[in-house]
Amino acid sequence: MKAVVAIDSMKGCLGSAEASEACAAGLREAWPDAEVIVVPVADGGEGTAAAIAFSDKSIIRKTDRVLGPDGTPTIAEWWLDAAKKTAYIDLAAAAGLTLVPQERRNPLTATTFGVGQLILAAASEGARHIVLGLGGSATVDGGAGACEALGVRFGVDHIDVSHIDNRLKDIDLHLACDVTAPFTGEKGAARVFGPQKGADPTQVKLLEERLERLRLLILRQFGIDLNEVPGSGAAGGCAGGLMALAGGKIENGAALVLDSIGFDRIIAGADLMVTGEGSADRQTLMGKLPSEILRRGQKAGIPVALAAGRITDAEALSEAGFAAIIDINSEANARRSGTEGQEAMDSGVATRRLRTSLWDYVQNGRS
């Protein structure tokens, strides 16, 4: 018996590796003789670089001092595969929301400048391919800060790209994201994600106006309408800015990560896969990590179970093809795990519930 466990991070609770290990512990208890493989994963959000690095011990960790989102210096980590001349960077390492204390968060001034610095650092180390995970940003600057660090100059009615750093010549910049948001508009970077980064209604309006001015400049000067590019609004529009002005390519983060770690090779011959995330609903089926794992499982003829802390639209998830929908916070599982009445977001509680729910699923076929 072979099982592969690949759970996305449960934000604010458990990272991908921790959540996957908890599920794996339950499977090993239920199947003592089984081969259970843990695969940390990500979908372009925080943890993308580390998830890829986990799959290959030859990938080395690097750090650089860069400008943080609030203008103060920070030490940011990134990863380098020297043999493949490929760097893996999380935008959140240099411009993440968690880098700024809540009382100092200000999306009107937050910058992605440090992200551009990390891109240049990777290029200086010989990287010819750079994978940038675009989740968890504190910013809504349309990538202007990152582009400035790369040498782009912004005027009132003109963008000058003639001074882009020579280190970027012939570099492939892959922009991994898990959203399809456009640059501006009702579903764009400012209106959807601005409030999550601390913007009040007045600030959201100002951010939207700034992004719209940048969009129109890019459209007039380069012929690219970022509102026609799915995912351009990712990371406060950083995806769109780097795509239009620095030659980046926006890609589905889940597929990019799974391809990078050789996921199809890992699952070959498996009898079961377990995936999951903090909250599962219809949006799970819209290109998010569990849906990409389901697609690959169906292609390989491997059943895929889905575990989550909160589940809605269970019928739609089942119809999509998941072999089981496992609610780790159900009353029954809380009771079986001995955590009844305890805080679900506590990491210890979540670990016990994941372990118990997978043991019970194997032993009793309950979900």
Side-chain angles (χ1 to χ4, degrees):
M1 182 68 69
K2 175 180 176 180
V4 176
V5 185
I7 309 286
D8 201 358
S9 63
M10 295 185 168
K11 291 181 175 59
C13 185
L14 294 172
S16 173
E18 297 167 315
S20 298
E21 285 287 359
C23 289
L27 292 177
R28 292 185 184 114
E29 290 173 10
W31 282 328
D33 298 326
E35 177 189 13
V36 181
I37 300 172
V38 169
V39 185
V41 288
D43 56 10
E46 294 171 83
T48 291
I52 295 173
F54 183 92
S55 69
D56 186 343
K57 301 309 179 187
S58 69
I59 300 176
I60 58 176
R61 179 177 177 270
K62 297 277 189 175
T63 60
D64 277 278
R65 185 180 176 87
V66 299
L67 198 70
D70 61 351
T72 60
T74 188
I75 302 298
E77 73 171 14
W78 56 283
W79 304 83
L80 178 66
D81 185 334
K84 294 181 180 178
K85 296 184 177 181
T86 301
Y88 303 100
I89 301 170
D90 281 352
L91 175 145
L97 191 62
T98 58
L99 296 178
V100 188
Q102 189 163 359
E103 66 275 10
R104 294 217 316 265
R105 291 176 184 173
N106 184 355
L108 288 176
T109 58
T111 178
T112 54
F113 193 88
V115 178
Q117 290 177 301
L118 284 184
I119 291 172
L120 292 180
S124 295
E125 292 273 3
R128 309 313 300 162
H129 309 277
I130 297 175
V131 175
L132 178 64
L134 290 172
S137 76
T139 57
V140 192
D141 71 349
C147 290
E148 284 180 344
L150 299 178
V152 177
R153 298 177 181 176
F154 293 89
V156 175
D157 58 1
H158 183 74
I159 302 172
D160 183 358
V161 297
S162 65
H163 300 283
I164 287 183
D165 198 291
N166 287 331
R167 285 173 286 181
L168 293 182
K169 186 178 181 182
D170 299 325
I171 280 184
D172 295 320
L173 179 59
H174 304 270
L175 307 171
C177 67
D178 63 348
V179 299
T180 57
F183 203 67
T184 63
E186 290 296 328
K187 297 182 179 180
R191 295 183 187 177
V192 173
F193 303 113
Q196 299 174 12
K197 303 170 190 190
D200 61 30
T202 299
Q203 291 174 322
V204 167
K205 184 174 183 292
L206 289 172
L207 291 167
E208 176 72 6
E209 291 172 354
R210 289 182 186 178
L211 290 180
E212 183 62 11
R213 284 197 297 270
L214 180 56
R215 184 188 74 85
L216 292 175
L217 266 179
I218 290 172
L219 176 60
R220 182 172 69 246
Q221 197 169 330
F222 303 100
I224 300 170
D225 186 351
L226 291 177
N227 280 351
E228 299 297 322
V229 181
S232 62
C238 190
L242 287 174
M243 186 276 288
L245 304 177
K249 180 182 179 183
I250 298 174
E251 302 180 34
N252 176 273
L256 188 153
V257 170
L258 296 182
D259 286 342
S260 295
I261 66 177
F263 190 74
D264 294 341
R265 170 184 52 79
I266 294 170
I267 67 174
D271 301 284
L272 173 69
M273 288 199 292
V274 180
T275 188
E277 58 186 342
S279 178
D281 51 33
R282 288 181 184 273
Q283 291 187 15
T284 297
L285 304 174
M286 301 173 66
K288 296 182 73 175
L289 183 72
S291 68
E292 179 64 18
I293 288 177
L294 174 64
R295 185 186 71 79
R296 295 180 187 227
Q298 290 174 324
K299 183 178 179 181
I302 305 167
V304 180
L306 174 70
R310 184 170 68 90
I311 294 171
T312 54
D313 307 316
E315 184 176 348
L317 294 168
S318 294
E319 289 176 353
F322 286 107
I325 311 297
I326 302 171
D327 180 359
I328 71 167
N329 288 321
S330 69
E331 291 184 10
N333 191 56
R335 186 169 55 253
R336 288 192 293 267
S337 65
T339 61
E340 195 170 13
Q342 297 183 34
E343 173 54 52
M345 290 297 290
D346 178 85
S347 60
V349 171
T351 296
R352 291 173 65 182
R353 290 182 181 180
L354 282 165
R355 185 177 68 243
T356 302
S357 65
L358 267 296
W359 180 92
D360 195 64
Y361 167 63
V362 172
Q363 287 289 316
N364 303 302
R366 292 185 294 202
S367 61

